[in-house]
Amino acid sequence: MIPGGGQPNMQQLLQQAQKMQQDLHRAQEELANTEVDGQAGGGLVRATVTGAGELRGLKIDPEAVDPQDTETLADLIVAAVQAANENAQALQQQKLGPLAQGLGGGTGIPGLPF
């Protein structure tokens, strides 16, 4: 319902929706091009992911490599990737959260809880 009982200006609503869509698309592109890091084992293993969650790199310090204990190395890799993904999710929320609120809720992006 419009205050004063008038009809909504459809052209204006369409323009606002198009602007929000453009802003969302721009933010998604920025996320895809922004890299965040996560680390484990005091920095022995570092993972780099994009703000969209794509794994881009993995660095393993030679000190983390023990041929007799590959399970620990695997755990460090998983922890570093998880930390990087958490940082990517925080970046997504920072960039897309305000836009999602303007759209009335969800962004349509899997994995984003808002």
Side-chain angles (χ1 to χ4, degrees):
M1 195 89 171
I2 302 295
Q7 293 295 319
N9 181 334
M10 295 307 285
Q11 183 66 26
Q12 184 179 9
L13 288 174
L14 181 59
Q15 289 173 347
Q16 288 175 343
Q18 287 174 336
K19 183 185 180 315
M20 282 191 280
Q21 187 177 23
Q22 289 170 347
D23 291 346
L24 180 59
H25 181 69
R26 197 171 12 259
Q28 288 171 328
E29 284 181 352
E30 185 178 333
L31 285 171
N33 294 316
T34 301
E35 293 183 347
V36 294
D37 292 319
Q39 63 178 343
L44 290 174
V45 177
R46 295 178 182 272
T48 301
V49 299
T50 67
E54 177 188 350
L55 181 63
R56 288 269 176 97
L58 189 61
K59 293 181 182 177
I60 302 171
D61 188 301
E63 291 181 31
V65 181
D66 178 356
Q68 302 301 315
D69 187 14
T70 57
E71 286 183 32
T72 298
L73 178 58
D75 289 343
L76 290 173
I77 292 169
V78 169
V81 171
Q82 286 176 335
N85 280 327
E86 289 171 7
N87 291 336
Q89 287 178 350
L91 183 62
Q92 289 171 357
Q93 200 159 18
Q94 176 187 355
K95 297 286 184 186
L96 299 178
L99 294 174
Q101 290 172 356
L103 294 172
T107 62
I109 300 172
L112 290 182
F114 49 90

